[in-house]
Amino acid sequence: SLPSCSYIIHYHTQSLVVSSIIAIMQFNNTHAPHTIPGFLPGSASLVEQLDKRLLLVLRDGRHLIGVLRSLDQFCNFALEDTMERRIHVKDNICHYVDVPLGVFLVRGDSVVILGEMAPDDDAKSKAVMKKVSLAEFEAMQEENVAAMGDDVTWDVE
């Protein structure tokens, strides 16, 4: 059991510790006295995202979509049914292709942002994005490279 509130405030003067302990005590007062939460109330937790389809944007610019199956204290993720989503904008239309990867382990420090994915049949995403085959996608990228040209000039003076 937790000690009295005045005892905790007397020995822990940091406001973060005090506010966390008070939040736990308030949580325990509204729930069964023997129930201790596995998280601090009001804090962010990725446990709620388990078994949900997520989009992860990595530091190298890749976009991964998969079902979150596991995570650890370093935010390393185990994703199932993972796909890499490649995006190319042409004529104000966002074309994309999903490249299947299977089970994927993602190191936590390479994740920039993540979020829950909307279902594939979402009307809003169909209005702004068009799915293409991998061959079509690579052809669009080659056209883009050809249009840009290889004329690179370096001014090092």
Side-chain angles (χ1 to χ4, degrees), residues 45-63:
S45 175
L46 288 171
V47 174
E48 295 144 3
Q49 301 301 323
L50 282 172
D51 299 326
K52 294 190 179 171
R53 196 162 168 249
L54 300 180
L55 167 70
L56 282 76
V57 178
L58 304 183
R59 286 178 26 188
D60 63 0
R62 288 185 292 168
H63 299 115

Side-chain angles (χ1 to χ4, degrees), residues 9-24:
I9 292 174
H10 178 71
Y11 286 101
H12 299 286
T13 58
Q14 296 178 347
S15 63
L16 178 62
V17 173
V18 171
S19 63
S20 298
I21 298 298
I22 291 172
I24 290 173

Side-chain angles (χ1 to χ4, degrees), residues 91-113:
D91 301 327
N92 292 329
I93 299 173
C94 185
H95 298 86
Y96 73 96
V97 63
D98 290 333
V99 179
L101 301 173
V103 176
F104 212 74
L105 298 175
V106 180
R107 187 176 164 108
D109 66 351
S110 66
V111 177
V112 175
I113 191 167

Side-chain angles (χ1 to χ4, degrees), residues 12 72 83 88 106 116 119 122 131:
H12 299 286
D72 64 9
M83 297 175 287
H88 181 76
V106 180
E116 193 171 344
D122 186 33
K131 188 170 185 172

